[in-house]
Amino acid sequence: MRGSSGSRAGGRVTMGRAPPDGPVPAPPAVAEGVGTYAFMQTQRGSDDPVGYDPCRVIEVEINPDGAPAQHDALVDTGLARVSAATGLRFERVGTTGRRPSFDTVSPRRSPVLIAWATLDEVPELAGDIAGLAGSVSWGQPGQMRYVTGTVALDRDYFDSLGPADLPMAQAVVDHELGHLVGLGHVDDPNELMHEDSLQRWTYGPGDREGMARLGNLDC
């Protein structure tokens, strides 16, 4: 995300509309064709998106090193919003010492990492990039699924924000979580997934339609 672009130790916080052993939650009904959306990755020979398995809980770990004081609220709010838009279920499973890296990735299933990073760790945060996110896909061609992912948020950028900038900080987190579950950038400034995201701080109609598709995949 340009411009403005899990955790509680010893406890678990589940976000979603059904327990892990319950029925698969359906994404909400949304208006179609009103906005603009794009996917990070599609299945070979199809416009069907690659996304997370909706029958699995997505576990999330946070590295709180360098995180802002309000990081718990930012993450909780962001995960709740993505869960409501997709029907996907997230569970914060603790803190971690892992640090973000986009150079080497493993296709093994592991908790999603959310961390506040420095430019030395994630050079892609240079310039006006406030965050970076993506997920690792695995599976047979045409049946790819995301199995884990990383959200790296610019530590210096978040340190520069004051209490009045909380909506902006939340917009950055929400934007990057949109990438995490599979949304790509769009050219429409009326969507939060616009690359610069300066005109909107909440998900737009296209964002919501794309997220509903990502949550409506087969298990």
Side-chain angles (χ1 to χ4, degrees):
M1 183 175 183
R2 296 181 182 274
S4 52
S5 223
S7 212
R8 298 190 175 93
R12 288 174 157 316
V13 180
T14 302
M15 297 175 184
R17 288 172 289 163
D21 296 329
V24 179
V30 296
E32 298 183 1
V34 176
T36 306
Y37 64 89
F39 296 121
M40 295 283 280
Q41 187 178 358
T42 56
Q43 303 289 351
R44 180 183 296 181
S46 169
D47 65 352
D48 291 335
V50 175
Y52 283 89
D53 184 343
C55 294
R56 287 181 175 267
V57 172
I58 303 169
E59 295 185 337
V60 178
E61 291 181 333
I62 290 181
N63 187 323
D65 184 30
Q70 70 275 25
H71 71 275
D72 272 326
L74 290 170
V75 172
D76 284 347
T77 298
L79 292 177
R81 289 177 176 177
V82 174
S83 180
T86 60
L88 297 173
R89 295 167 297 188
F90 297 86
E91 184 177 12
R92 292 178 55 175
V93 295
T95 56
T96 180
R98 292 189 294 142
R99 299 303 301 165
S101 173
F102 294 91
D103 293 331
T104 58
V105 295
S106 169
R108 68 183 180 87
R109 193 177 301 280
S110 60
V112 165
L113 171 65
I114 300 178
W116 278 258
T118 65
L119 184 59
D120 288 340
E121 291 178 299
V122 183
E124 295 89 343
L125 292 173
D128 56 358
I129 305 299
L132 193 69
S135 289
V136 179
S137 59
W138 185 251
Q140 299 298 319
Q143 299 178 329
M144 303 291 286
R145 286 288 181 267
Y146 291 136
V147 294
T148 188
T150 300
V151 176
L153 301 163
D154 189 324
R155 182 183 300 187
D156 291 338
Y157 174 78
F158 277 79
D159 283 346
S160 73
L161 301 178
D165 300 315
L166 186 58
M168 180 79 76
Q170 189 65 64
V172 173
V173 173
D174 293 357
H175 177 103
E176 300 309 331
L177 289 175
H179 285 317
L180 177 78
V181 297
L183 287 183
H185 282 144
V186 296
D187 293 330
D188 187 348
N190 295 309
E191 308 291 352
L192 183 61
M193 298 311 296
H194 185 258
E195 187 174 22
D196 290 314
S197 296
L198 295 176
Q199 297 186 31
R200 188 178 187 101
W201 291 355
T202 59
Y203 292 124
D207 301 325
R208 294 187 180 280
E209 183 178 353
M211 284 191 174
R213 285 191 62 187
L214 286 163
N216 200 35
L217 301 176
D218 293 335
C219 293

